[in-house]
Amino acid sequence: MASTTASSDLVPRILPYLDRLLIFALLEHLSEQKLYPADVLLQAKYDVMKDTNMMDYISETYKAIHGADATVPAEITERRNEVLEKLAEFEKKAEKILEIVRNPEVVNALRSDPAQNFSYVKENYGVTPEMVDILYHYGKFQYNCGKYTEAAEHLYQFRMLSNDSEMVISATWGKLAAEIVTLQWENAVSELLKLKELIDQKNFADPLVQLNHRTWLIHWALFFFFNAENGHEKLTDLFLSPAYLNAIQTSCPWILRYVTVTVLTSRNARKTSAGRSSTYATYQKQIRELVRVIKQERYEYSDAVTDFVYALYVDFDFEAAQTKLAEAAAVVKTDPFLVGSADEFLESARHLVSELYCQIHQRIDIRDLSARLNLSPEEGEKWIVNLIRDTRVDAKINFSEGTVIMNHPPQSVYQQVIERTKGLSFRTNQVLAHMLTTRSATVNGAEAGEVQE
Amino acid sequence: MSRFFAGGSSDSETESEEELYSESEEERSEEELSEEEGEDDESTEEDESEAESSDEDEGRGFLKAGAKGSAARFLRGEESEESDEDESKRIVKSAKDKRLDEIDAIIRIIENAKKINDWVHISNEFDKLNKIIAKATQQGETPKLYIKAIAELEDFMNETIKTEKDSKKKMNATNARALNSIKQRIKKNNRQYEDLIAKFRADPDGYLLEAEEILEPVAPVKLRKGAEFEAAAAAIRPGAAAVAVEDTGDAAFATIGRGGRTITITPESIFKQLRSILEARGKKNTDKAEQIRNMERMLDVAVTVYQKIRVLLVLVATRFDLTSSAASFMPVNQWKSAQEEITKLLAILEQNPLYVVQEDAEEVDDDEQEPVPKDGKPLKVFGSIVSLVERLDDEFTRSLQNIDPHTPEYIDRLKEESALYSTIIRSQVYFERVKLDSSANRVLVRRLELLYYKPEQLILTVERLAWSSLPKGVESQITPYSEDQDASRLINAICVKLYNQDNRLFRTRAMLCHVYHHALHNRYFHARDLLLMSHLQATIHTADISTQILYNRTLVQVGLCAFREGMISESQQALQEICGTGRVKELLAQGIQMQRYAQTSPEQEKIERQRQIPFHMHINLELLECVYLTSSMLLEIPFMAQSGSSPDAKKKTISKPFRRMLDYHERQVFTGPPENTRDHIMQASKALAAGDWSTARELIRAIKIWDLIPGTDKIKEMLGEKIQEEGLRTYLFTYGQFYETLSISSLASMFDMSEGKATALVSKTISNNEIAAALDQKTNAIAFIPGVEYSRLQNLALALSDKAVQLIDSYKYR
């Protein structure tokens, strides 16, 4: 087991794409997992934190590494004082602007347009652009000191007032990090979406920069695995949107493991939501998309998780899938991000296997299927009963022979036509509306042209 | 003529022969003379320069005479020998006398014409007279008679014009026109002889009496030895400038320039000479071979670095000028000297870092003073090494295009590639040193294009050869050379450098070469990713044709690579675009394909020929076709079996050419044993469609051309496996409807594969909804679900719904 985890551990690959404090959060998580020796982790933590401004924590870690009575190096104490000074200085500088933006009157007057907001505070309170910038720097500094809540607040206020797109993006990154570290998932999700929008909209002179931004965003998004309930759906959407899928393929194919897990487990999340049949269709579509990407990137990246999908959907080799599933389960259980979703993943994977199995077979030996799912015959039988009850599988168990008999009714032609034409009328209306708007626009344009002439 | 012969001998016998000779010459060159009349006029003014026509005659004389190889040969040309026979019958007259007689006769006619005022006649005769005079003046002084005639003619003309004005009676139209035209001509003509006419006017009688004895002044002509003369004569073309004459003694050589001037080359005069050569460049009658010889000598004489650089620059450029016509290619020896001279130039520049040849340097007008580098700053010399190197490469390619590839000549020529390659590397190093970045890029592209199609081993050899020929101390920053060189790393280094520059064409070409290189070395995914990331597919149609050819070559290579890696459908897709058109030869520029009904003009064909890829770079077309058809077979046969007899079956095809060939093959009444690749594949296809996979495998494996692919056995094995798999699928599609159940084990034994693999294959087919069946685990068999036959209406309804969805998908929101 140790060998599989060591070889399939993605943490070293992921680290370069994370912020210091996010790494710290990850390391915290790892120390809970006890995957790595504690002293290594402590040293790693120390190395990570060394350059931040969380001086108290640094000295604590230092002591933990070198023994309680080791004297903290002078430079650390020195820097601690420096940091405190700086903090005080920032506080003083920011005092005025903070007073203004905290004013309930101002808060009420602020709208979503930063330019308008800025002119409002400028006229009424005499705020200068420099003061707004102070907010940004103050927020950044606080973030480095580990005061996440304040940092998030200041960065938010800054964003309300500033128009500088570079700094706004930077502030949004800061806020996202702060929200993630403080485990404010609701806010974090909205920040994530905002950031995604900003990255997509902005015209990057160099496509590489955009790619890098996307890569970071994808990696940061992994933290949503800590909070399985809320983020999954958004995460699947994010990973599978074409631009991000491309980013994964080009710069970080190892993320495919997480994509696979999110896609497979999203089935359970979807179960609760309304409109099952349509979500089932999207689920199928997502699986297909996933298989395509895994197939394409196989030469660059493969691990137990992706191999499982490959064996199942490309080779249709159930035996290989079975062994891969066992491996994949081990991998998932040791992955710092996925450990929370391990059971869920396993269940979804079994679902997939049995579903495919049922689709292909007419008569299934229960023992065989149970073996395929890594279950005992009794468990297997229960599983199948559940499956028959829960899903659309049309099957009966023949107890004396120990088989399941599947009934594959040929799809009726009416059903087929209905399936295909389901969305047509809606889409026709869409097209019509679009045509009308563009036409009226061109007609208006033409008229305007005539007038000009 | 006489002046020419004066140097050789001057006894009276030759005189007479000469006359005969010149007579026959004259008849021949009557027409040419009229063309060169204008030039003749000038010739009288310049004593030194000889008229063109006489040059020509002399040249011819030489050529004829040259064959005999003795001094006397000049005096007895072939014609004169001929005329020896009738010598006795003729009255011997000197050429001059004869000419004088002619002049006299013409003048008399003019006199007569004057009397009746017939200007048309006068005009004609006057022209004739001038022609003869032109001849005469070459040999000596203008005959007095002529001077008298033209002087009188002018007087008469002036008189006529005067009376014309006075008299009311009009002259007839043609006559008047003739008068007018002759008026101009006489004025122009007489201006040349102003002095003489004046003399004549002053003393008409005395002038004529002045003795005619004054013999022509003999122009001293420097002479040359016979041995060298042969070569010179070969080089002299009609109208050639230089003339060499044999000398009796062992006089020192001297080159005789136009008009008998001696060119002595001294270090001081080099710049002047160069300038005159440069000025003569592009003019009609410059003899480039002569110029090259001159410059070669100048090079020996040149003392300073600056002189050498200047001479070399002009010399190489002139060598390239030597072959301007598009059809032929540069003579190999010229090419070699050009290559050597470029290398020499680069060596000089390497040794003298203070001299830099640049395109943006200022041209120096001052021939007297030689610029020297000052204050340790490099001296810029005007010139472009990059264009010389590029031209060298172009000429090399052109010669390969024109030499028949099946001759040893081609191989000999190909051997010179290493020299070219090392010159390119050397120039690249030079450009890196003087930081001429754009030039370095241009050379890098050339270098890359010499490498990209070579397999790794060959690249390493070429590199080793090239670097060993370079002197020590020549090092490149972009592509440092080391013993354990890795070919891919080298290509990568060159390409990365080219990606990071601004020229889009270079970037594109570098990208394509890089992809080609990857594909050649079986790195399919790298090649594919690079090709897709380049987004070239969208823009390649706008590129120039040679880049499009490169793109096609790359695409084909990627397809072959996929095939070698066992990725059949990828291979088929990549090759489809090229092989599906039936214009493979044209698209890959590997030979000209005659299009039926297409009319190509000779110019188009010529351009087409210039685009051809030299033979050693060709991709084997037969192998290509074989790969394409085999992969088409593996995809198309199961597909045909699957679509069976449904109405769409005919419309949907994966590979049109394959279908066409299959149809043709099936229509044949009698099919013999397979002879060529195509027969093999067609018969294999038929066997595969019938479920007889082992025959199909044998047929495919029997194709000989697989031996051309490295790792033949692996390929054959892979193909055998694929045929098994596709055979099984085809079998299921074709015969599935006749079974209710089919045991997996019997299926597996039928196709000679493991049960597990058979199960996996069947599962895949079922899961993809390709057959209506399910597996029965208890009996380990496939249970076919009885098919539901749709009515026609239902089928149409399904098709309609499909079409509707397609339609709505194709709407573009803008």
Side-chain angles (χ1 to χ4, degrees):
Chain A
M1 178 126 168
S3 67
T4 52
T5 48
S7 63
S8 62
D9 187 15
L10 293 180
V11 172
R13 289 203 194 176
I14 292 169
L15 287 185
Y17 294 94
L18 296 179
D19 187 77
R20 266 175 208 296
L21 293 160
L22 293 178
I23 294 174
F24 176 67
L26 186 61
L27 289 175
E28 288 278 89
H29 194 80
L30 282 179
S31 54
E32 281 168 33
Q33 300 280 316
K34 301 205 168 55
L35 266 179
Y36 295 92
D39 50 333
V40 174
L41 281 180
L42 263 180
Q43 183 63 44
K45 271 189 206 171
Y46 177 72
D47 289 343
V48 166
M49 306 306 286
K50 216 164 47 184
D51 293 331
T52 64
N53 294 333
M54 297 165 71
M55 301 323 291
D56 287 338
Y57 189 84
I58 293 172
S59 38
E60 252 172 57
T61 332
Y62 187 84
K63 275 180 190 157
I65 296 171
H66 297 277
D69 34 64
T71 44
V72 177
E75 62 168 317
I76 292 184
T77 21
E78 218 171 88
R79 265 186 58 202
R80 188 186 137 86
N81 293 338
E82 239 173 69
V83 167
L84 284 178
E85 252 171 55
K86 235 182 181 172
L87 195 62
E89 190 189 319
F90 264 122
E91 232 166 273
K92 222 171 87 195
K93 269 197 206 161
E95 199 178 354
K96 192 172 164 207
I97 177 88
L98 280 179
E99 202 177 297
I100 295 167
V101 288
R102 280 186 185 143
N103 188 340
E105 211 176 295
V106 177
V107 171
N108 285 336
L110 291 182
R111 300 279 176 272
S112 61
D113 180 17
Q116 209 181 340
N117 290 341
F118 181 68
S119 59
Y120 168 77
V121 286
K122 193 175 160 194
E123 273 164 33
N124 296 329
Y125 300 94
V127 176
T128 60
E130 287 78 35
M131 288 165 78
V132 178
D133 287 352
I134 284 175
L135 264 181
Y136 169 77
H137 294 297
Y138 189 38
K140 201 172 159 194
F141 194 77
Q142 275 178 325
Y143 172 75
N144 271 339
C145 294
K147 299 184 173 183
Y148 303 118
T149 341
E150 288 92 338
E153 189 196 335
H154 294 154
L155 290 174
Y156 172 73
Q157 285 156 351
F158 166 76
R159 233 173 36 195
M160 292 297 281
L161 295 176
S162 174
N163 236 346
D164 184 334
S165 63
E166 286 297 323
M167 280 166 88
V168 166
I169 284 201
S170 180
T172 314
W173 279 110
K175 188 150 186 289
L176 174 61
E179 301 289 5
I180 289 175
V181 177
T182 50
L183 310 178
Q184 298 292 320
W185 299 114
E186 299 266 326
N187 294 343
V189 167
S190 68
E191 286 307 313
L192 186 77
L193 293 180
K194 191 170 272 167
L195 206 51
K196 181 177 173 229
E197 204 175 299
L198 281 174
I199 292 171
D200 289 346
Q201 276 174 358
K202 194 159 175 273
N203 268 333
F204 286 92
D206 186 359
L208 197 64
V209 179
Q210 191 171 24
L211 182 67
N212 278 340
H213 270 98
R214 287 199 172 131
T215 316
W216 288 330
L217 192 67
I218 288 164
H219 280 91
W220 288 30
L222 293 180
F223 283 87
F224 289 91
F225 274 111
F226 291 149
N227 172 27
E229 280 89 51
N230 243 331
H232 262 193
E233 208 168 321
K234 298 253 165 40
L235 218 51
T236 329
D237 290 346
L238 174 75
F239 285 155
L240 288 184
S241 59
Y244 286 82
L245 207 56
N246 269 340
I248 290 173
Q249 281 182 280
T250 38
S251 59
C252 49
W254 51 88
I255 294 292
L256 277 180
R257 176 194 290 179
Y258 303 102
V259 181
T260 312
V261 174
T262 34
V263 169
L264 294 197
T265 51
S266 70
R267 166 201 199 90
N268 297 3
R270 296 266 154 104
K271 213 184 274 176
T272 49
S273 57
R276 262 201 58 197
S277 66
S278 70
T279 51
Y280 184 76
T282 45
Y283 178 64
Q284 288 284 337
K285 213 168 149 193
Q286 283 173 349
I287 295 256
R288 268 203 296 276
E289 184 78 7
L290 179 72
V291 171
R292 185 182 65 83
V293 176
I294 286 178
K295 217 162 122 185
Q296 254 179 31
E297 295 303 310
R298 205 171 143 72
Y299 73 100
E300 285 226 337
Y301 175 79
S302 71
D303 64 9
V305 180
T306 59
D307 278 349
F308 163 70
V309 175
Y310 190 82
L312 198 61
Y313 278 97
V314 180
D315 288 343
F316 290 90
D317 186 342
F318 289 98
E319 271 168 53
Q322 176 194 348
T323 49
K324 288 290 171 195
L325 181 59
E327 278 174 37
V331 169
V332 168
K333 269 183 193 143
T334 51
D335 191 287
F337 290 107
L338 296 179
V339 69
S341 338
D343 294 337
E344 219 178 319
F345 167 74
L346 212 58
E347 202 188 302
S348 309
R350 280 186 188 140
H351 255 287
L352 276 186
V353 174
S354 49
E355 207 173 84
L356 203 62
Y357 215 69
C358 295
Q359 196 203 337
I360 290 172
H361 288 78
Q362 190 183 35
R363 197 155 52 156
I364 301 163
D365 194 336
I366 290 182
R367 296 151 83 69
D368 199 69
L369 179 59
S370 317
R372 294 272 181 268
L373 300 172
N374 294 344
L375 295 170
S376 71
E378 286 77 33
E379 275 180 318
E381 198 175 324
K382 213 187 270 173
W383 170 265
I384 289 164
V385 171
N386 278 335
L387 197 69
I388 295 171
R389 199 183 54 200
D390 287 352
T391 61
R392 309 187 298 172
V393 179
D394 184 1
K396 292 277 178 289
I397 296 177
N398 183 334
F399 190 74
S400 65
E401 285 182 26
T403 54
V404 186
I405 297 167
M406 309 297 303
N407 187 14
H408 295 284
Q411 205 180 12
S412 114
V413 67
Y414 304 108
Q415 196 63 41
Q416 279 183 43
V417 173
I418 290 168
E419 282 284 331
R420 282 184 206 177
T421 51
K422 204 186 279 165
L424 275 186
S425 93
F426 173 68
R427 288 186 60 186
T428 313
N429 281 330
Q430 254 185 329
V431 170
L432 192 63
H434 179 253
M435 276 160 94
L436 282 176
T437 51
T438 47
R439 182 158 176 275
S440 65
T442 50
V443 166
N444 286 344
E447 275 171 9
E450 273 163 30
V451 170
Q452 272 178 359
E453 279 164 22
Chain B
M1 278 297 149
S2 58
R3 182 161 71 142
F4 170 55
F5 288 106
S9 105
S10 54
D11 56 314
S12 60
E13 199 200 319
T14 35
E15 190 89 323
S16 64
E17 283 190 6
E18 171 202 352
E19 171 233 320
L20 292 168
Y21 173 69
S22 58
E23 187 185 48
S24 53
E25 275 287 289
E26 214 152 332
E27 281 159 17
R28 223 167 3 109
S29 56
E30 189 81 349
E31 276 172 60
E32 289 159 33
L33 281 174
S34 62
E35 284 167 18
E36 278 153 359
E37 192 185 359
E39 279 164 283
D40 287 352
D41 294 343
E42 287 168 32
S43 66
T44 33
E45 281 178 346
E46 298 173 15
D47 279 0
E48 267 186 17
S49 75
E50 290 169 336
E52 291 290 320
S53 61
S54 74
D55 271 356
E56 205 168 295
D57 293 347
E58 279 155 8
R60 275 198 202 119
F62 276 144
L63 290 174
K64 274 180 225 136
K68 291 203 169 173
S70 77
R73 69 194 170 206
F74 291 109
L75 312 172
R76 291 173 192 274
E78 277 167 37
E79 273 118 308
S80 58
E81 268 176 350
E82 232 169 67
S83 52
D84 276 350
E85 293 160 23
D86 22 41
E87 207 167 336
S88 53
K89 294 173 202 164
R90 285 194 172 192
I91 307 151
V92 179
K93 254 185 188 177
S94 85
K96 204 169 28 174
D97 289 347
K98 202 175 167 226
R99 198 162 284 138
L100 281 176
D101 287 352
E102 271 176 57
I103 293 171
D104 200 34
I106 292 171
I107 291 173
R108 223 164 286 146
I109 297 173
I110 294 180
E111 295 288 324
N112 287 337
K114 272 190 208 164
K115 282 174 196 154
I116 53 165
N117 219 0
D118 181 356
W119 284 101
V120 181
H121 213 136
I122 292 175
S123 170
N124 287 342
E125 291 304 315
F126 180 68
D127 284 352
K128 228 183 260 172
L129 181 63
N130 274 341
K131 263 181 219 163
I132 293 166
I133 288 301
K135 265 278 184 232
T137 41
Q138 280 158 25
Q139 287 153 27
E141 263 179 44
T142 327
K144 307 256 151 81
L145 268 177
Y146 173 68
I147 301 296
K148 179 175 171 257
I150 54 171
E152 282 171 3
L153 188 59
E154 196 182 358
D155 292 344
F156 178 69
M157 183 192 71
N158 287 337
E159 210 174 293
T160 318
I161 291 171
K162 218 184 276 165
T163 50
E164 190 66 16
K165 267 180 194 159
D166 296 343
S167 73
K168 298 285 170 277
K169 202 182 128 205
K170 284 270 172 196
M171 220 183 232
N172 82 43
T174 35
N175 219 359
R177 216 178 297 134
L179 174 62
N180 270 331
S181 73
I182 206 168
K183 191 173 108 189
Q184 305 296 326
R185 266 182 291 165
I186 287 175
K187 268 188 189 160
K188 195 182 156 212
N189 191 46
N190 287 7
R191 213 169 295 139
Q192 292 170 17
Y193 306 105
E194 236 161 1
D195 296 349
L196 296 173
I197 292 173
K199 231 187 249 172
F200 168 73
R201 291 240 160 99
D203 179 15
D205 297 329
Y207 181 74
L208 280 179
L209 283 176
E210 248 177 67
E212 294 258 332
E213 286 95 69
I214 304 167
L215 282 173
E216 306 84 50
V218 173
V221 178
K222 297 239 173 181
L223 303 165
R224 227 180 178 194
K225 217 179 168 186
E228 206 168 356
F229 173 72
E230 298 277 348
I236 292 171
R237 284 176 277 169
V243 176
V245 180
E246 190 171 339
D247 189 9
T248 44
D250 268 315
F253 304 133
T255 312
I256 297 156
R258 192 191 177 100
R261 266 176 306 198
T262 311
I263 297 175
T264 37
I265 298 161
T266 57
E268 293 76 38
S269 68
I270 279 184
F271 298 129
K272 217 170 249 171
Q273 304 278 358
L274 277 181
R275 179 165 299 277
S276 69
I277 287 172
L278 278 177
E279 274 160 8
R281 197 178 174 185
K283 284 192 183 145
K284 209 170 98 192
N285 288 324
T286 44
D287 178 8
K288 286 164 192 150
E290 177 63 25
Q291 286 182 349
I292 286 174
R293 268 198 307 282
N294 279 344
M295 279 188 282
E296 276 166 357
R297 301 240 308 282
M298 276 187 222
L299 196 58
D300 296 335
V301 176
V303 207
T304 60
V305 176
Y306 181 73
Q307 282 174 342
K308 281 183 186 160
I309 294 174
R310 284 284 304 273
V311 174
L312 277 171
L313 280 172
V314 181
L315 175 55
V316 179
T318 317
R319 268 195 211 287
F320 286 132
D321 278 353
L322 211 52
T323 43
S324 52
S325 79
S328 67
F329 57 95
M330 196 171 172
V332 175
N333 54 354
Q334 288 292 330
W335 186 88
K336 272 183 195 159
S337 346
Q339 189 264 330
E340 275 158 22
E341 275 146 12
I342 292 178
T343 315
K344 208 185 279 174
L345 178 58
L346 286 168
I348 292 174
L349 290 170
E350 271 159 25
Q351 286 154 13
N352 303 284
L354 283 182
Y355 289 87
V356 175
V357 176
Q358 256 174 350
E359 281 161 52
D360 55 355
E362 271 178 38
E363 245 180 301
V364 189
D365 289 326
D366 187 8
D367 284 347
E368 304 302 323
Q369 219 175 358
E370 185 187 314
V372 280
K374 282 174 210 141
D375 317 326
K377 269 188 210 156
L379 175 76
K380 289 180 180 176
V381 185
F382 175 78
S384 164
I385 292 183
V386 66
S387 61
L388 296 182
V389 174
E390 279 184 342
R391 185 71 198 271
L392 195 69
D393 185 29
D394 286 344
E395 288 295 344
F396 181 72
T397 317
R398 214 199 276 172
S399 68
L400 287 176
Q401 283 169 348
N402 282 293
I403 298 173
D404 179 2
H406 304 294
T407 54
E409 203 188 344
Y410 189 84
I411 295 170
D412 288 344
R413 190 82 182 107
L414 203 53
K415 279 179 194 156
E416 277 149 31
E417 196 195 66
S418 66
L420 171 67
Y421 188 72
S422 69
T423 307
I424 288 181
I425 293 188
R426 205 157 177 179
S427 63
Q428 179 202 333
V429 172
Y430 165 74
F431 293 132
E432 277 176 40
R433 181 169 62 77
V434 300
K435 307 218 160 32
L436 284 173
D437 216 32
S438 68
S439 301
N441 290 335
R442 277 162 74 180
V443 179
L444 272 174
V445 170
R446 296 285 168 161
R447 188 172 168 193
L448 185 62
E449 284 178 13
L450 282 176
L451 288 182
Y452 77 95
Y453 59 89
K454 294 190 168 86
E456 193 168 0
Q457 216 47 45
L458 202 54
I459 294 180
L460 291 182
T461 319
V462 168
E463 276 280 296
R464 205 167 40 240
L465 266 176
W467 286 99
S468 63
S469 74
L470 295 180
K472 285 239 177 326
V474 176
E475 269 169 33
S476 165
Q477 310 254 305
I478 304 169
T479 53
Y481 178 70
S482 59
E483 281 300 316
D484 56 332
Q485 184 110 2
D486 178 3
S488 301
R489 214 182 315 144
L490 172 72
I491 298 277
N492 196 48
I494 298 177
C495 289
V496 166
K497 175 75 179 62
L498 289 173
Y499 296 153
N500 290 328
Q501 48 90 46
D502 295 330
N503 189 325
R504 242 188 86 220
L505 178 66
F506 289 172
R507 273 208 305 265
T508 310
R509 290 194 81 93
M511 183 80 81
L512 288 172
C513 289
H514 206 168
V515 174
Y516 193 101
H517 177 79
H518 277 314
L520 200 61
H521 294 90
N522 287 344
R523 292 188 288 266
Y524 173 74
F525 290 106
H526 280 101
R528 183 201 63 184
D529 286 358
L530 202 57
L531 191 63
L532 289 181
M533 262 194 275
S534 67
H535 293 292
L536 272 177
Q537 306 90 303
T539 54
I540 194 69
H541 305 289
T542 58
D544 63 321
I545 293 185
S546 82
T547 308
Q548 287 191 26
I549 289 169
L550 184 59
Y551 175 80
N552 291 342
R553 281 167 61 78
T554 308
L555 201 63
V556 164
Q557 199 54 251
V558 169
L560 291 177
C561 171
F563 186 78
R564 286 193 295 264
E565 296 291 291
M567 284 171 280
I568 300 297
S569 68
E570 282 87 348
S571 167
Q572 207 271 344
Q573 267 172 25
L575 296 180
Q576 174 82 22
E577 206 175 320
I578 306 295
C579 299
T581 53
R583 287 159 53 212
V584 189
K585 265 190 191 168
E586 190 188 331
L587 289 174
L588 294 179
Q590 297 189 7
I592 295 162
Q593 215 160 13
M594 275 299 131
Q595 297 264 299
R596 231 185 296 167
Y597 311 123
Q599 294 193 333
T600 40
S601 60
E603 290 86 44
Q604 274 175 314
E605 212 178 293
K606 206 162 152 193
I607 294 169
E608 188 90 341
R609 273 186 209 289
Q610 279 170 30
R611 282 190 206 121
Q612 296 302 307
I613 304 270
F615 183 74
H616 65 285
M617 293 165 73
H618 280 196
I619 295 170
N620 189 319
L621 290 180
E622 201 184 339
L623 178 65
L624 181 62
E625 193 196 16
C626 178
V627 166
Y628 173 68
L629 287 179
T630 309
S631 43
S632 298
M633 173 188 84
L634 288 172
L635 295 176
E636 187 88 70
I637 294 293
F639 181 74
M640 279 164 71
Q642 188 191 353
S643 41
S645 57
S646 79
D648 290 344
K650 281 275 182 288
K651 279 181 208 158
K652 285 185 192 157
T653 48
I654 295 172
S655 159
K656 276 227 176 77
F658 177 79
R659 281 273 173 112
R660 216 173 30 238
M661 275 178 216
L662 198 62
D663 281 352
Y664 177 75
H665 187 261
E666 271 168 6
R667 267 203 311 266
Q668 281 192 325
V669 184
F670 172 75
T671 45
E675 280 172 0
N676 54 18
T677 314
R678 209 179 278 180
D679 285 350
H680 273 102
I681 296 176
M682 287 308 130
Q683 297 203 1
S685 308
K686 253 176 120 177
L688 192 64
D692 187 1
W693 65 275
S694 56
T695 315
R697 189 174 63 177
E698 289 321 308
L699 279 166
I700 291 290
R701 283 186 177 177
I703 296 176
K704 287 198 183 65
I705 204 153
W706 295 131
D707 295 339
L708 290 183
I709 303 181
T712 316
D713 294 338
K714 234 178 75 199
I715 297 283
K716 284 185 177 169
E717 202 169 303
M718 179 273 290
L719 282 174
E721 248 170 64
K722 295 276 172 199
I723 289 174
Q724 272 179 350
E725 287 171 18
E726 297 307 326
L728 188 142
R729 270 159 49 84
T730 315
Y731 186 83
L732 283 182
F733 293 141
T734 321
Y735 300 108
Q737 48 187 323
F738 306 120
Y739 288 98
E740 194 183 85
T741 56
L742 177 61
S743 129
I744 293 273
S745 59
S746 73
L747 194 67
S749 68
M750 203 190 295
F751 286 92
D752 194 24
M753 56 170 82
S754 71
E755 277 189 37
K757 199 175 166 195
T759 319
L761 265 174
V762 174
S763 310
K764 194 172 180 172
T765 324
I766 294 172
S767 169
N768 292 341
N769 278 329
E770 285 169 333
I771 52 171
L775 292 174
D776 188 332
Q777 228 167 24
K778 209 71 189 168
T779 54
N780 198 14
I782 313 166
F784 289 93
I785 298 161
V788 187
E789 281 292 315
Y790 292 150
S791 74
R792 187 166 165 73
L793 176 66
Q794 284 167 333
N795 258 332
L796 286 176
L798 280 175
L800 177 66
S801 62
D802 259 356
K803 288 268 155 63
V805 172
Q806 273 172 22
L807 184 68
I808 221 157
D809 279 343
S810 64
Y811 181 79
K812 284 198 181 73
Y813 291 90
R814 255 172 300 174

